[in-house]
Amino acid sequence: MEAAPLHTDLERMPEGGKAYWRKCADGTRIRVAVWQGSGEKTVLVFPGRTEFIEKYGDVTDRLLDRGYSVAVVDWRGQGLSDRHPVHPPMGWVKEFSDYQLDVAEVLALVRDTGLPDPYAMIAHSMGGAIGLRALLDGLPVEKAIFSAPMWDIYVASHMRVPAWIVSTFGPGIGLGQRFVPTGGPSNYVQEQPFEGNTLTNDKDSYAVMQSHIKQHPEMGLGGPSVHWLNRAKRETRALQAAAPPPQDCLCFLGSREAIVSKDAIRRIMGKWTNGNLVELEGAQHEVLMEEPHIIKQVWLEIDAHLDE
């Protein structure tokens, strides 16, 4: 296995991890990191769009403290994994199903490095869409945890018609390889001050996000392409139409969520027989990187779910 860089010097990053390059079935190279825990379970961490392994340092550290082994991935098109061949800052994927090739390599690395089975999954935002599809396709995970899963994208009422037109017809008229109208090459936390951000209420966590990109700008990602939006909308429609998988599921949703669709989350969780939706008063999108009182509640719920 070929070693890949892992920036353990960044704030909130635990020691002891190892990162590797993995070649997917279609030739795309992705980065996956693993940490060996002291116990007999492994948690697969599926980040959201624009994110990278190091952003989940605090989550990884908390899981290691609980004895779990951990695997975290840079999805294709972001982090240090292979990106758009012409526009590296653009969020892009050929087909949403291609992310399942990445999932296969995460699982292969977990097995190659001898991390223990059974497995659990923590999936945030876009990772929640990828994770749900993986469960539906048979990913061998016993317990699923979703953080603000992207089971549809929130669009303000006045933007719904333009967004539908762009996402539906844009790729067919040559706009697929352009940023969506509200996006550009800069990473959100580079451009947006803490005041007014839609990610977290916790100033320290937001400062850590900013410092990571400042120290390693190559890991930042800008807005998505029109093509990505088109494929994401197709996938989220399919996920909403599917019957939930059999795994026990815990899902978090902040009352101030403004990035993914609350309605879609409630709709899917309403069908999930052994699913538990926890709505967090005052929380924004990054429920795993929120104010201390919210984080305390989140981890109490996670501990109870994983220990059942």
Side-chain angles (χ1 to χ4, degrees), residues 2 4 12 19 28 33 39 43 85 106 112 127 132 135 139 155 183-184 211 221 233 235 247 262 280 293:
E2 183 184 357
R12 299 187 180 179
T28 300
V43 179
V106 173
D112 289 348
L132 178 53
L135 295 180
L139 182 69
V155 180
S211 72
L221 187 71
K233 294 294 287 183
E235 175 67 345
Q247 284 85 354
K262 294 181 184 179
L280 301 163
H293 72 279

Side-chain angles (χ1 to χ4, degrees), residues 45-49 51-52 56 72-73 75 78 122 124 126-128:
V45 178
F46 289 178
R49 200 192 76 79
E51 297 182 331
F52 43 87
Y56 284 81
V72 194
V73 60
W75 301 118
Q78 60 192 59
I122 295 179
H124 174 67
M126 184 184 81

Side-chain angles (χ1 to χ4, degrees), residues 102-212:
D102 303 357
V103 172
E105 286 306 312
V106 173
L107 191 59
L109 179 63
V110 164
R111 289 169 171 165
D112 289 348
T113 53
L115 297 190
D117 187 354
Y119 308 131
M121 177 185 72
I122 295 179
H124 174 67
S125 198
M126 184 184 81
I130 298 168
L132 178 53
R133 174 58 63 193
L135 295 180
L136 292 168
D137 288 350
L139 182 69
V141 161
E142 289 191 348
K143 303 275 188 175
I145 299 168
F146 293 100
S147 159
M150 191 194 79
W151 294 337
D152 199 1
I153 300 167
Y154 172 75
V155 180
S157 57
H158 69 283
M159 289 294 295
R160 286 174 188 166
V161 172
W164 179 81
I165 292 172
V166 168
S167 65
T168 303
F169 301 107
I173 59 173
L175 301 179
Q177 302 307 309
R178 295 188 182 183
F179 287 105
V180 297
T182 56
S186 296
N187 184 270
Y188 178 82
V189 301
Q190 290 176 296
E191 297 295 316
Q192 174 64 46
F194 172 72
E195 291 74 17
N197 87 86
T198 56
L199 297 179
T200 178
N201 298 302
D202 189 64
K203 195 167 188 176
D204 290 342
S205 293
Y206 199 73
V208 170
M209 296 177 200
Q210 291 177 315
S211 72
H212 283 182

Side-chain angles (χ1 to χ4, degrees), residues 151 249-251 264-272 275-277:
W151 294 337
C249 171
L250 172 65
C251 183
I265 292 170
R266 291 170 179 148
R267 191 176 302 121
I268 288 178
M269 290 306 298
K271 298 188 295 181
W272 208 310
N276 177 24
L277 175 61

